[in-house]
């Protein structure tokens, strides 16, 4: 009987430890202002490690990120961008849809080829995302317009533009504009 109880307690401790260390998925919708003046609603989803939503806004290491975008001029269905980067820009310029992401840690930096500066561009072409070199990212979309250094506080599933532009959601530890001369401490 004691051996069965011991095995049960060991199994229970493994299950509890696994749930504490498990990744957390965080999803919210946010208003995003595009260069042409339109404000659209984008769904952002992150698979987070180390997420904590204590008293205010939280941060996490976004090991994966998804953006769900509805722009009928590019696709009648929702467009989904999914990468192992933190998305910072979603914008339209010269008739093309772009997403720019940056690596949250050295792991992702190496996964995407250790490029400098550490910004990774994607353009929507032929109903799929195509990775582009940094030199092809238009300067017109260098300003970040997505929540990047934070996740909304626990239970918040919608963030409007005013909330993003002021208070704790502004800036944080994330870069707010792409800088071609930026040198990261990633090796």
């Amino acid at each position: 009987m004691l051996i069965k109880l011991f095995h049960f307690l060991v199994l229970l401790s493994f299950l509890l430890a696994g749930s504490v260390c498990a990744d957390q998925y965080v999803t919210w919708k946010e208003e995003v202002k595009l260069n042409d003046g339109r404000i659209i609603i984008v769904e952002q989803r992150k698979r987070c490690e180390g997420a904590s939503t204590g008293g205010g806004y939280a941060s996490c290491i976004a090991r994966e990120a998804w953006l769900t975008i509805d722009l009928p001029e590019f696709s009648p269905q929702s467009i989904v961008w999914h990468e192992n980067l933190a998305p910072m820009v979603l914008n339209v310029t010269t008739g093309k849809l772009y997403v720019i992401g940056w690596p949250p840690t050295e792991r992702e930096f190496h996964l995407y080829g250790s490029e400098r500066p550490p910004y990774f561009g994607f353009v929507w072409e032929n109903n799929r995302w195509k990775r582009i070199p940094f030199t092809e990212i238009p300067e017109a979309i260098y300003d970040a317009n997505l929540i990047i250094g934070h996740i909304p506080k626990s239970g918040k599933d919608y963030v409007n533009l005013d909330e993003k532009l002021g208070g704790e959601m502004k800036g944080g530890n994330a870069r707010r504009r792409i800088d071609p001369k930026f040198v990261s401490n990633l090796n």
Side-chain angles (χ1 to χ4, degrees), residues 64 78 117 122 136 159 163:
E64 285 182 276
S78 294
F122 299 83
E136 292 182 23
V159 180
E163 292 171 304

Side-chain angles (χ1 to χ4, degrees), residues 2 23 46-47 56 60 74 85 123 133 147 151 153 157 167 186:
L2 233 44
D23 292 340
K46 292 183 180 182
R47 180 179 63 84
C60 72
F74 294 103
L85 296 166
V123 64
I147 294 173
I151 57 174
K153 60 184 166 183
D157 60 0
L186 300 172

